[in-house]
Amino acid sequence: MSASPAPGASDRGARTRERLLVAAQELIWEQGVSATTPRQVWERSGTGQGSLYHHFPTKHALALAAVTRTVRQMLDGARASLAHDSEPEERVHDYLTRPRDAVAGCRVGRLTSDATVMADDELRAAVRGYFTQLLDLATVVFEEAGEPPEAARRRATTAVAVIQGGYVLSRALGDPAPMRDATEGLLQLLDIAD
Amino acid sequence: MSASPAPGASDRGARTRERLLVAAQELIWEQGVSATTPRQVWERSGTGQGSLYHHFPTKHALALAAVTRTVRQMLDGARASLAHDSEPEERVHDYLTRPRDAVAGCRVGRLTSDATVMADDELRAAVRGYFTQLLDLATVVFEEAGEPPEAARRRATTAVAVIQGGYVLSRALGDPAPMRDATEGLLQLLDIAD
DNA sequence: GTCTATAAGAGGATAGAC
DNA sequence: GTCTATCCTCTTATAGAC
């Protein structure tokens, strides 16, 4: 721990760092890590080059901080529907019908096609951790619905795959309809009333 | 039509063009269009810079030729399982259990996260065309299985989404198991014997 | 058809002033 | 903490010889 700087300066620094991080998260969602340049980040954040390289020594450090935070936020969102108190069937329904910007794609899933992400151990681990945890959350719900462990895991994987595939199709067609069709199709097969 | 050049030279040129195209297809599968450089293409193909820019005036022309061919090949593969003569249920089963390099990802689906592809009208149209046709093929199969048109389209979208999502999950986890789990989970829900 | 030389521009930093 | 100037490399070509 170093001595506290003047409060005003400290706050300004924290806010600058925060704005850089938010800008990086947005740009990485829109374009991926590979296609996002440090320049784009400092321009969108309204800060400057000096600030960016002060708070994040490399593009890698910035990307890792941004992706790590996005993963945490997405898992919090998933828990909000999958891990609350209602019946398992209702939780599955909530998760599958959650509002999503289908055409924009999954903030994390899209990174599996990003060369910079997959070539980097830490970034790849962040993406892997997201899906590992998400699949575990969903598996528990199907177990609580009465499925044996193996079947619960298969069914959870199918459900998460439908969401990820719905994103791919909606993005490819530039239309939110495929995500809706894919999730409604699964809900019918699961015999969960729409 | 221009006059035929000497046969030897013509063949060599055609073979060179072919090798460039194959190398581009491979590299685009592995890394996407954005991350694939002209240099990588001519090095992998065993040709040279002069040959590449002789056969393809720009990186865009090369990428479009490679992606267009990949889309055609993938649709031919899908038709092989979805559009043959057996019962609809068997065709669905064949499609869902077709051998796939799950960890490598879908040659076309992965392009939906590629900035260079999505920013270009022609490349985007090629990707869109692939999924439009694939969904149409699958919809017909579910209609032939007795589903009404709307339900058939939903179910087809769910099935294609499970494949695309299976790719995303297998890639994220570096493991072919999620693709297997996702497709087996869907087959059980569809009540098609494994 | 293929080769090599050259070049404009962007990306990802680093250095040192303020 | 932030700014500006500078630097090196890679990408995507173009030019002209062979």
Side-chain angles (χ1 to χ4, degrees), chain A residues 114-191:
Chain A
D114 188 305
T116 301
V117 172
M118 299 307 278
D120 179 272
D121 284 346
E122 294 175 296
L123 286 169
R124 195 154 26 74
V127 171
R128 182 196 192 101
Y130 172 72
F131 285 109
T132 299
Q133 299 220 48
L134 182 57
L135 286 170
D136 286 350
L137 279 170
T139 299
V140 168
V141 178
F142 283 107
E143 285 175 348
E144 289 175 5
E147 298 288 327
E150 300 278 282
R153 153 103 0 205
R154 275 197 297 274
R155 205 157 277 198
T157 306
T158 303
V160 174
V162 164
I163 298 298
Q164 289 300 313
Y167 274 125
V168 171
L169 295 178
S170 278
R171 223 175 133 58
L173 272 56
D175 180 356
M179 173 68 89
R180 220 169 35 237
D181 288 346
T183 52
E184 286 180 4
L186 181 61
L187 285 168
Q188 285 179 349
L189 289 170
L190 288 166
D191 204 25

